[in-house]
């Protein structure tokens, strides 16, 4: 049998990978059909993500794809190759802004070139508005593409600026930050039910806030509202999935999601979320909806995402062991007892295989997820966590022998420690972060879940990471058989601190600050620890900077101290303290260290970002037209997949 190839093409700062679906062939026909229908739903919302990431993204994508596929245009020119690179980056990022740094791409081709080739293609293939000419299309789109000063960032989090007027994300129209914050403050005050004071919906999660005739109104995303055509396609495939659900409870989950999509009622979304987290029967599961709020500078609007999955039964033993002991971890947390949950409810955790990635989870995806996000649901009903084994496996296979660790780890003994324990510690830290970290702790009564505003995402990710870092060194994990010995945790401590202080800087453009929430979280933790103890330090040797950890036990106590403070900040809604922590430790970049890290990384000739090509699912039909099997095709190229998706799942353009 031919060995599976994980690594595919590379371009710009990106490396495309493939992931396998181990054990898919052994699933029942019903399970395969369920995965197929859910996968079609996962792909049907693709255009929503593009539009959310920028109001011009869909039209730019369609325009460039028209040029790219036109055989009358000379493909053997530098300008065309530059256009191809730009288009591949646009596909990857669901728009014209970098998927991680959020800065706008700079085209390597000229305005004159693009205008000339657009006049060569058939005008009817272009996304022209009624009565619009090709030149009119150029005049509309070119400033957005070519002017570096116009809409330069998708998400801006710079302190002191109007985060809405300076962000290109398409969640607000003609609305200032102050207006949006005031609007949702009033909405929370007016709509909180006296009968259910502690179960507010996620205000603003599924709407565009627009100003019409001087009034602010929400344009709700639903089957009969904004994004209606895309959502109706999603609902179509969800209905077919419900017909082949593994059990009645799973069918009820899908039906409730459909009801929410059709109405846009956030109370129904909460009902769906509770049903979803309590549905533990069956091997197949999914995520589909407007969920994570990292793409909104105010942390309110949910970007559309989808994931289809099935349980990796052997690996799930690890996460279920953690979940069974959730109360012990909560009771022994180093935070103030006032902020601990007296009773941990409904913690479930599985290791899963991703079967299809969609929306914000495609092509770049998380390796672990914990949902739902609503704090009151977590407190009353619990949460569901997943760690994605086949994605992690693909990452590990691609990283093998890259030379990265050899370049940045300080000595051979530390390198040997990381080589021995690195993979098991990475997996376990992800499990602790997702399964327990996000679900731990509680807000004090009356605290607004959105009190930390733009800093909320960073504080929450730091809280979950610190929970994992603190407990990965606990003897309890050796006792539970999750860690091989009492030395293994040092591998995670070293690589985490090295990443937070140094190596994650490879993802920052020179001159920029740190803005992405997960990067800010890691920088905050690492820099705070380095500033408060000599147990962690950076030093030069042979003109290269290295991390040195002199006292791992003291480092664990630093994690405990910071976890206690960050939990206090969240539990009390202390916006001022959150702002000070993030701005002091998580944002600024040392220019000299940054330049050194970039130069050392450049010599390794590696791509700092990875993404995935989905397997293609091909239904096999019997004589009666019914599906008799689902075959997997792993050979589809990146460009072919993106063009096929644009042809088959373009619901908004």
């Amino acid at each position: 049998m031919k060995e599976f190839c994980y690594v595919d093409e590379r371009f710009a700062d990106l490396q495309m990978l493939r992931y396998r679906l181990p054990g898919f062939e052994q699933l029942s026909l019903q399970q395969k059909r369920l995965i197929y229908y859910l996968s079609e739903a996962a792909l049907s919302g693709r255009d929503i993500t593009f539009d959310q990431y920028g109001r011009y993204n869909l039209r730019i994508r369609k325009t460039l794809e028209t040029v790219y596929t036109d055989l009358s245009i000379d493909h053997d020119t530098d300008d065309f190759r530059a256009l191809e690179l730009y288009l591949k980056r646009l596909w990857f990022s669901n728009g014209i802004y970098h998927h991680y740094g959020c800065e706008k791409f700079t085209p390597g081709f000229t305005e004159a070139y693009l205008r000339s080739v657009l006049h060569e293609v058939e005008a009817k293939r272009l996304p022209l508005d009624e009565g619009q000419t090709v030149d009119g299309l150029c005049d509309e789109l070119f400033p957005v593409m070519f002017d570096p000063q116009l809409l330069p960032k998708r998400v801006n989090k710079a302190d002191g600026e109007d985060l809405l007027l300076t962000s290109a994300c398409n969640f607000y129209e003609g609305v200032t930050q102050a207006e949006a914050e005031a609007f949702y403050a009033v909405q929370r005050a007016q709509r909180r039910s006296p009968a259910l004071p502690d179960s507010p919906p996620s205000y603003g999660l599924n709407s565009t806030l627009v100003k019409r005739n001087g009034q602010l109104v929400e344009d709700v995303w639903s089957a009969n509202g904004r994004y209606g055509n895309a959502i109706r396609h999603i609902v179509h495939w969800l209905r077919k999935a419900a017909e082949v659900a593994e059990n009645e409870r799973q069918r009820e989950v899908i039906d409730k999601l459909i009801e929410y999509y059709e109405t846009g009622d956030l109370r129904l979304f909460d009902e769906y979320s509770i049903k979803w987290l309590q549905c533990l029967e069956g091997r197949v599961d999914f995520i589909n909806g407007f969920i994570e709020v990292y793409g909104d500078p105010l942390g309110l609007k949910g970007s559309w995402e989808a994931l289809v999955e099935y349980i990796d039964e052997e690996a799930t033993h690890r996460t279920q062991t953690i979940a069974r002991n959730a109360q012990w971890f909560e009771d022994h947390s180093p935070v103030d007892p006032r902020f601990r949950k007296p009773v941990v409810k409904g913690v479930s955790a599985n290791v899963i295989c991703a079967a299809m990635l969609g929306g914000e989870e495609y092509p770049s995806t998380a390796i672990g997820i914990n949902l739902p996000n609503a704090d009151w649901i977590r407190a009353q009903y619990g949460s569901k966590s997943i760690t994605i084994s086949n994605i992690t496996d693909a990452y590990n296979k691609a990283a093998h022998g890259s030379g990265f660790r050899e370049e940045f780890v300080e000595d051979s003994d530390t390198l040997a420690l990381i080589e021995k324990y690195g993979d098991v510690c990475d997996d376990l830290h992800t499990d602790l972060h997702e399964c327990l970290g996000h679900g731990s702790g509680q807000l004090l009564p009356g605290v607004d879940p959105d009190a930390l505003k733009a800093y909320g995402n960073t504080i929450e990710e730091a809280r979950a990471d610190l929970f994992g870092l603190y407990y990965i060194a606990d003897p309890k994990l050796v006792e539970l058989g999750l860690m091989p010995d009492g030395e293994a945790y040092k591998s995670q401590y070293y690589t985490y601190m090295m990443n937070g202080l140094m190596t994650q800087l490879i993802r920052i453009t020179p001159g920029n600050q740190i803005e992405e929430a997960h990067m800010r979280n890691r920088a905050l933790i690492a820099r705070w620890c380095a500033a408060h103890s000599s147990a962690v330090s950076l030093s030069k040797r042979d003109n290269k900077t290295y991390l040195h950890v002199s006292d791992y036990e003291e480092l664990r106590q630093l994690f405990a101290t910071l976890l206690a403070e960050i939990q206090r900040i969240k539990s009390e809604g202390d916006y001022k303290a959150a702002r000070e922590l993030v701005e002091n430790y998580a944002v600024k970049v040392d220019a000299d260290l940054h330049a050194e890290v970039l130069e050392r990384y450049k010599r390794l000739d590696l791509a700092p970002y990875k993404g995935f090509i989905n397997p293609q699912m091909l239904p096999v039909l019997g004589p009666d037209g019914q599906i008799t099997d689902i075959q997997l095709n792993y050979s589809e190229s990146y460009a072919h997949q993106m063009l096929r998706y644009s042809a088959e799942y373009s619901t908004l353009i």
Side-chain angles (χ1 to χ4, degrees):
M1 182 177 179
K2 184 178 180 181
E3 184 177 356
F4 183 85
C5 181
Y6 288 89
V7 180
D8 201 79
E9 71 172 295
R10 175 179 167 181
F11 54 90
D13 56 356
L14 304 167
Q15 177 76 62
M16 300 308 301
L17 307 177
R18 299 182 187 275
Y19 61 98
R20 293 179 60 248
L21 272 59
F24 182 84
E25 292 77 9
Q26 282 71 54
L27 297 175
S28 69
L29 176 58
Q30 180 182 3
Q31 290 169 329
K32 290 179 180 179
R33 291 175 66 195
L34 176 60
I35 288 173
Y36 172 70
Y37 293 141
L38 290 172
S39 295
E40 289 296 296
L43 297 175
S44 294
R46 178 177 184 247
D47 278 3
I48 298 176
T49 309
F50 269 88
D51 190 74
Q52 290 180 321
Y53 282 12
R55 62 180 298 186
Y56 298 96
N57 283 335
L58 286 171
R59 302 186 76 210
I60 292 173
R61 187 190 78 192
K62 177 66 174 177
T63 298
L64 297 183
E65 287 175 347
T66 301
V67 174
Y68 184 66
T69 57
D70 195 295
L71 299 180
S72 68
I73 294 172
D74 186 357
H75 290 199
D76 190 22
T77 68
D78 290 341
D79 277 322
F80 184 87
R81 283 186 282 272
L83 182 145
E84 179 181 36
L85 176 61
Y86 184 92
L87 179 58
K88 286 183 175 182
R89 299 185 74 187
L90 178 152
W91 283 330
F92 189 96
S93 296
N94 293 300
I96 64 172
Y97 298 90
H98 195 281
H99 76 289
Y100 212 82
C102 292
E103 65 272 11
K104 186 163 65 175
F105 299 138
T106 300
F109 50 93
T110 65
E111 293 185 51
Y113 168 76
L114 184 54
R115 188 180 292 266
S116 68
V117 293
L118 286 175
H119 277 287
E120 294 182 35
V121 304
E122 290 184 273
K124 65 181 181 181
R125 297 181 60 207
L126 294 170
L128 301 175
D129 288 334
E130 185 175 354
Q132 188 177 41
T133 65
V134 173
D135 283 326
L137 178 68
C138 295
D139 293 342
E140 178 188 3
L141 300 184
F142 283 13
V144 182
M145 296 175 62
F146 291 96
D147 183 350
Q149 303 303 316
L150 180 63
L151 303 174
K153 299 205 71 173
R154 177 168 64 87
V155 182
N156 178 38
K157 294 188 177 180
D159 188 40
E161 297 183 8
D162 188 307
L163 302 186
L164 300 192
L165 297 182
T166 57
S167 295
C169 56
N170 194 21
F171 296 121
Y172 305 89
E173 294 180 6
V175 181
T176 67
Q177 179 179 350
E179 288 173 330
E181 290 177 342
F183 177 86
Y184 286 111
V186 170
Q187 193 177 73
R188 283 190 290 270
Q190 290 179 341
R191 296 189 184 179
R192 185 174 294 226
S193 169
L196 297 169
D198 297 322
S199 58
S202 301
Y203 297 104
L205 183 70
N206 66 335
S207 67
T208 304
L209 186 62
V210 303
K211 185 180 287 186
R212 291 179 184 148
N213 301 319
Q215 300 296 315
L216 296 183
V217 295
E218 288 188 295
D219 197 354
V220 176
W221 308 330
S222 70
N224 297 306
R226 183 173 287 213
Y227 302 139
N229 191 46
I231 292 173
R232 288 190 292 272
H233 279 77
I234 296 168
V235 166
H236 166 78
W237 290 108
L238 289 176
R239 290 192 192 284
K240 296 184 78 66
E243 294 173 358
V244 294
E246 295 177 272
N247 52 69
E248 184 59 32
R249 175 166 281 191
Q250 194 179 67
R251 184 177 294 106
E252 290 176 358
V253 169
I254 299 172
D255 287 342
K256 184 60 68 174
L257 178 59
I258 291 170
E259 187 180 358
Y260 158 65
Y261 269 140
E262 290 181 330
T263 63
D265 185 340
L266 285 171
R267 291 288 185 187
L268 292 177
F269 178 68
D270 288 342
E271 292 178 19
Y272 154 74
S273 297
I274 293 166
K275 285 181 176 293
W276 173 81
L277 74 88
Q278 293 178 332
C279 181
L280 304 177
E281 299 89 354
R283 190 172 178 186
V284 178
D285 204 353
F286 70 100
I287 295 168
N288 190 300
F290 306 105
I291 299 173
E292 301 294 356
V293 296
Y294 302 107
D296 175 9
L298 300 188
L300 298 174
K301 307 294 181 183
S303 299
W304 190 85
E305 67 176 83
L307 172 70
V308 185
E309 65 197 63
Y310 57 97
I311 292 175
D312 181 337
E313 294 177 327
E314 181 177 348
T316 289
H317 168 74
R318 182 182 73 236
T319 54
Q320 290 182 343
T321 299
I322 293 172
R324 283 195 299 270
N325 289 273
Q327 190 66 58
W328 185 92
F329 288 101
E330 185 77 2
D331 292 344
H332 291 81
S333 172
V335 308
D336 189 312
R338 294 181 301 145
F339 308 141
R340 298 178 192 154
K341 288 179 177 175
V343 178
V344 178
K345 300 178 181 179
V347 175
S348 65
N350 289 316
V351 178
I352 60 96
C353 292
M356 191 63 66
L357 309 174
E360 192 171 55
E361 293 295 335
Y362 171 79
S364 179
T365 185
I367 58 174
I369 297 172
N370 176 272
L371 293 172
N373 287 326
D375 285 294
W376 74 267
I377 296 180
R378 292 177 183 274
Q380 295 184 29
Y381 297 95
S383 63
K384 186 189 289 187
S385 299
I386 58 169
T387 303
I388 311 177
S389 62
N390 57 340
I391 295 295
T392 301
D393 183 56
Y395 277 131
N396 291 341
K397 294 287 196 305
H400 182 72
S402 69
F404 176 82
R405 290 173 176 172
E406 289 80 358
E407 174 61 36
F408 287 101
V409 174
E410 66 172 341
D411 55 45
S412 58
D413 288 343
T414 307
L415 181 61
L417 182 79
I418 295 168
E419 291 292 338
K420 182 176 181 180
Y421 297 119
D423 288 350
V424 65
C425 285
D426 285 345
D427 288 345
L428 189 55
H429 184 255
T430 299
D431 294 339
L432 291 167
H433 173 113
E434 299 295 350
C435 303
L436 301 181
H438 279 308
S440 66
Q442 62 180 354
L443 300 180
L444 293 183
V447 172
D448 184 348
D450 298 318
L452 304 184
K453 301 181 182 179
Y455 299 103
N457 289 332
T458 298
I459 292 297
E460 175 57 23
E461 291 303 324
R463 193 178 71 89
D465 260 3
L466 284 163
F467 194 97
L469 289 167
Y470 176 75
Y471 275 117
I472 202 169
D474 200 290
K476 182 71 171 181
L477 297 187
V478 179
E479 175 190 323
L480 293 173
L482 298 173
M483 286 285 270
D485 55 50
E487 292 291 301
Y489 79 93
K490 296 178 181 178
S491 164
Q492 185 67 21
Y493 278 21
Y494 190 92
T495 55
Y496 190 95
M497 294 297 292
M498 182 178 73
N499 190 28
L501 290 173
M502 290 178 55
T503 53
Q504 74 169 359
L505 293 175
I506 63 176
R507 297 184 165 194
I508 301 292
T509 301
N512 287 357
Q513 295 185 332
I514 303 174
E515 296 204 42
E516 198 277 332
H518 296 82
M519 292 185 70
R520 282 187 168 190
N521 136 50
R522 291 188 288 266
L524 188 163
I525 293 171
R527 292 172 177 179
W528 186 93
C529 290
H532 285 79
S533 172
S534 59
V536 180
S537 60
L538 294 177
S539 60
K540 286 269 192 179
R541 188 177 73 243
D542 300 327
N543 294 319
K544 291 183 178 181
T545 303
Y546 294 96
L547 169 74
H548 179 67
V549 180
S550 60
D551 191 330
Y552 284 94
E553 293 182 2
E554 183 175 341
L555 180 55
R556 188 189 185 214
Q557 293 311 305
L558 290 167
F559 291 148
T561 301
L562 184 55
L563 173 58
E565 172 60 6
I566 282 184
Q567 182 64 63
R568 182 199 68 77
I569 288 171
K570 175 161 185 177
S571 294
E572 296 181 350
D574 190 341
Y575 172 83
K576 180 181 177 182
R579 179 179 179 274
E580 289 177 354
L581 264 184
V582 174
E583 295 296 336
N584 288 339
Y585 295 104
V587 177
K588 298 177 180 63
V589 174
D590 181 315
D592 291 337
L593 177 61
H594 190 198
E596 177 199 326
V597 170
L598 288 176
E599 179 59 31
R600 291 166 67 183
Y601 190 79
K602 182 180 179 181
R603 289 198 293 268
L604 296 175
D605 191 31
L606 301 174
Y609 302 100
K610 306 290 191 293
F612 292 90
I613 300 171
N614 280 325
Q616 184 179 10
M617 294 188 179
L618 303 170
V620 179
L621 303 180
D624 58 355
Q626 297 298 308
I627 294 176
T628 61
D629 198 7
I630 301 294
Q631 293 184 347
L632 301 177
N633 173 25
Y634 294 110
S635 64
E636 190 172 30
S637 72
Y638 172 65
H640 185 276
Q641 182 159 106
M642 291 297 183
L643 290 171
R644 181 171 65 84
Y645 284 1
S646 292
E648 297 179 4
Y649 305 104
S650 285
T651 54
L652 300 178
I653 188 169

